[in-house]
């Protein structure tokens, strides 16, 4: 009998087909194996599962609802548009789903300190929250460019007691933040743990983060059936590293009549003139390569090094993508689309003005794609993973785009 997808992938070495693995120095490989062993143990442990469930219900406020966006559905006149409201998860995004799990794992392993990178600051805020909850130290590495852009989240991290380390080299965004956090982790891998912020990094992180995010898809499936009597026709999620997308997709992979659509950031480019350096659509325009300890699809410069990338959304601004996304798109199970900065910002205002929900700019990419295709699919149902809320983005948006008065 065929194994269920989630049991089959990744394999024991952390591969999804040829993607994934753990391309790290030997000392770190040993740490990764220990983390994997500890995870295998607690994932079967009734006490751990019960504690995570309690946290999700009483601390995070799960389940998050599904909302039928009736005003936008009427405005666009085609498919029904539904939102899985991860913006209502405590701390305002899906990131807390894996942070509480990672911190619980760290506590079980006797670690004292949580270290991570952050782009938009949502993973940083979520990890600082988890550290406060469990009484652990927390160190967050963040590019100087993102510190300026996502300042409200920097303030939140500091109030929560985290040490925010500004990253001042290279493009000073997400990739450099990962480099810097990894370096800090290497200094003391015994007492600290690198609680990575997406389904990226060396094995076992892509699996661990996916498993902790799986709750999003599980809830969505039951809720959508309850609400509409059927399953959605298409599920749409933005893809940076890919954790919110894997969270929702992972519960629907075996229902192959449902289209799973990942939306990447096309940045300043347009579909008919895509320029390297202007976007971060790794799956759409990248090629196979190893970065940050895993084999996946990445955007490379002329020397084969990670290319510089751009997106208006700090959380999508990454030159690679989780290995499971590389695998699922290579076998045709997921479809990958791209939305540019202007389309995302327009969707940011549309959802704000027509539904009363201010979305994160990251999530606005998924919303924009749903709005783009809705009219072509009358009678169908689109489920968008609204991965986060946009409070962190409002200063940046208003400064650069005004109040959206042109949105009618
Ligand atoms: C609200 C929100 N959505 C999506 C992302 C992208 O991450 P991922 O692709 O891992 O879901 C981020 C990253 O910071 C985020 O803050």
């Amino acid at each position: 009998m065929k194994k269920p997808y989630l049991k089959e992938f990744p394999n024991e070495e952390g591969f999804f087909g040829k993607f994934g693995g753990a391309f790290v120095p030997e000392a770190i490989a040993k740490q990764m194996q220990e983390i994997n062993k500890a995870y295998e143990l607690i994932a079967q442990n009734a006490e751990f599962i019960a504690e995570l469930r309690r946290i999700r219900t009483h601390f995070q406020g799960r389940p998050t609802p599904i909302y039928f966006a009736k005003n936008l559905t009427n405005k666009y006149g085609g498919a029904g548009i539904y939102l899985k409201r991860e913006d209502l998860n405590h701390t305002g995004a899906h990131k807390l789903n894996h942070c509480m799990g990672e911190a619980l794992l760290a506590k079980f392993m006797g670690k004292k300190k949580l270290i991570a990178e952050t782009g938009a600051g949502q993973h940083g805020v979520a990890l600082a929250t988890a550290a406060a909850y469990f009484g652990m130290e927390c160190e967050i590495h963040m590019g100087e460019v993102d510190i300026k852009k996502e300042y409200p989240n920097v303030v939140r991290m500091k109030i929560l007691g985290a040490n925010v380390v500004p990253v001042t080299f290279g493009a000073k965004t997400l990739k450099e933040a990962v480099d810097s956090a990894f370096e800090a982790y290497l200094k003391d891998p015994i007492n600290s743990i690198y609680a990575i912020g997406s389904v990226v990094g060396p094995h076992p992180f892509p699996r661990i983060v996916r498993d902790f995010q799986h709750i999003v898809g599980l809830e969505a499936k039951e809720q959508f059936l309850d609400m509409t009597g059927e399953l959605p026709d298409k599920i749409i999620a933005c893809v940076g590293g890919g954790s919110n997308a894997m969270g929702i997709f992972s519960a629907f992979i075996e229902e192959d009549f449902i289209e799973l659509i990942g939306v990447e950031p096309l940045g300043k480019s347009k579909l008919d003139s895509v320029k390297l350096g202007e976007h971060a659509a790794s799956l759409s325009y990248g090629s196979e390569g190893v970065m940050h300890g895993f084999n996946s699809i990445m955007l490379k410069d002329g020397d084969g090094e990670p290319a510089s990338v751009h997106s208006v959304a700090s959380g999508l601004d990454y030159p690679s993508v989780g290995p499971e996304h590389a695998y699922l798109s290579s076998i045709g199970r997921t479809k990958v689309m791209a939305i540019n900065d202007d389309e995302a910002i327009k969707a940011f205002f549309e959802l704000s003005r027509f539904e009363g929900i201010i979305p994160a700019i990251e999530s606005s990419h998924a919303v924009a794609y749903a709005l783009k295709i809705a009219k072509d699919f009358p009678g169908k149902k689109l489920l968008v993973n609204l991965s986060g809320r946009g409070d962190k983005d409002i200063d940046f948006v208003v400064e650069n785009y005004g109040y959206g008065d042109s949105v009618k």
Side-chain angles (χ1 to χ4, degrees), residues 260-314:
L260 306 176
I261 304 168
V263 182
E264 296 196 306
L266 197 57
K268 292 179 188 141
S269 281
K270 295 206 164 77
L271 283 174
D272 57 4
S273 65
V274 178
K275 293 195 190 83
L276 189 67
E278 281 190 353
H279 66 85
S282 318
L283 278 172
S284 306
Y285 302 103
S287 57
E288 192 177 339
V290 173
M291 190 181 112
H292 293 153
F294 64 105
N295 185 43
S296 187
I297 299 291
M298 69 188 237
L299 291 166
K300 298 175 190 162
D301 64 16
D303 301 322
E305 295 299 316
S308 64
V309 286
H310 162 81
S311 168
V312 70
S314 300

Side-chain angles (χ1 to χ4, degrees), residues 228-247:
T228 70
E230 49 194 56
L231 290 175
D233 297 286
K234 298 175 194 289
I235 300 178
I236 302 167
C238 68
V239 177
S243 63
N244 86 90
M246 272 326 304

